[in-house]
Amino acid sequence: MDQQEILGRISAMVDDEKRLRAALADGTIDAATERERLADVERALDQCWDLLRQRRAKAEFGENPDEARVRPSAEVEGYES
């Protein structure tokens, strides 16, 4: 996945977050469902941001950005900013 594809996925997931919050607000889904789905989206977002950072770092240091790989969400979730 190249940088544009990753950014496209990030944008789509941000839209999903907004739809979930709107669905909760209008009563289409309950709070438990919203929390569960948001947690899934947030994990996937963290993985995409991590992949994007890996690609940019590899490019910056003369490595092949295509060698960056999606890391498990448990690994990515443990990072601190």
Side-chain angles (χ1 to χ4, degrees), residues 7-60:
L7 290 170
R9 287 196 66 196
I10 289 170
S11 179
M13 285 186 271
V14 168
D15 290 343
D16 287 344
E17 282 184 317
K18 291 176 186 175
R19 279 192 290 277
L20 285 167
R21 289 190 170 93
L24 176 65
D26 70 19
T28 307
I29 61 173
D30 61 27
T33 302
E34 185 223 22
R35 277 192 306 274
E36 181 181 319
R37 290 183 185 172
L38 276 176
D40 291 341
V41 171
E42 288 168 358
R43 278 190 292 276
L45 267 170
D46 287 345
Q47 287 177 299
C48 282
W49 281 116
D50 175 67
L51 180 59
L52 188 60
R53 283 186 207 99
Q54 285 182 63
R55 289 184 58 82
R56 288 176 175 170
K58 285 185 177 294
E60 180 179 346

